[in-house]
Amino acid sequence: MHRRVIDGRFELMERLGGGGMGLVWRAWDVALHREVALKEVRPPDPSMDEHDPAGARELRARVLREARALARLNHPHVATIHHIVDPGEQGYPWIVMELVTGGSLQDRIQRGAMSPQEVARLGREVLSALRAAHAVGIQHRDVKPANVLLREDGRSVLTDFGIAAVRESTSLTATGSFIGSPEYMAPERINGVEGDPASDFWSLGMMLYVAVEGRHPLRRSTTLATLAAVLNQEVPPPERAGALTPVLSALLRRDPAARPDADTLDRMLAAAADPGATPPPMP
């Protein structure tokens, strides 16, 4: 069977998934003889090149900037970027990443809720990845269980920072596309405010809530109803979170300024991961 080869080196084997930013493939690196994940970056509006060429150029440039910044991180909980294929004006970049084979956090949650200690440990790992990205000026904007991959040894890897590059794309208003996951998006971002690292922390909090409770507290039957619930309805107190409850309460505050900073959050998660430790004071 003939398979498509990218850049004369990466043979596409199997489509792994897709979203607002494009498709992810399992691929074979014919030079180094190893499997990799290949992300095919594409705008949400296929006609963007035609009706907004300036926006398309800016999108390409921003995708490349963010991919290069992430490639320099070398962080154990950020998916490693091996290579970037830049076709120039003829197409959008392909990002070559490590292939993480243990499934996603979403797959794990579908098998049942996790213990508060497990979730707290995972939360610290994802928080460390977010802190590393924030330190180089990148906000994730789409923290959710499907974007947390699990290595075979159980360690987590945060992936798909791509929403950051398409959020400002002018094609979004032209086509009405909705980029991101409304049930995990911070209220201020739904309201059109760019947000800051605290907005990623809301999404982290909602993800941890779902992991420990096994259900999403504000998901409704339609996207619009979910958006309205996130904007207007209080998050019901968790029932299974135990020592993780103060963390969830602190993160899921509607005022971004009231959410804990990264240092405080890490101490709170450490205490929840080790219930025998002395808990830190509430922020």
Side-chain angles (χ1 to χ4, degrees), residues 10-11 18 23 38 71 79 82 88 99 108 134 152 160 172 186 228 237 279:
F10 303 102
E11 183 180 11
L23 304 177
L38 207 62
H82 297 311
L99 181 67
R108 169 62 186 84
H134 293 164
E152 295 293 348
D160 205 352
L172 299 190

Side-chain angles (χ1 to χ4, degrees), residues 20-86:
M21 258 305 271
L23 304 177
V24 179
W25 299 81
R26 180 194 299 266
W28 178 253
D29 182 343
V30 299
L32 295 180
H33 289 227
R34 65 178 178 183
E35 287 191 329
V36 294
L38 207 62
K39 182 170 182 177
E40 178 185 3
V41 177
R42 297 195 300 192
D45 180 359
S47 64
M48 185 178 185
D49 279 303
E50 180 182 346
H51 74 247
D52 185 11
R57 283 194 298 273
E58 172 55 27
L59 176 58
R60 287 189 188 93
R62 182 157 185 175
V63 167
L64 288 169
R65 280 198 305 272
E66 299 216 344
R68 287 165 179 150
L70 287 167
R72 292 195 297 269
L73 286 184
N74 191 27
H75 189 278
H77 299 295
V78 175
T80 301
I81 294 177
H82 297 311
H83 184 66
I84 300 168
V85 179
D86 178 11

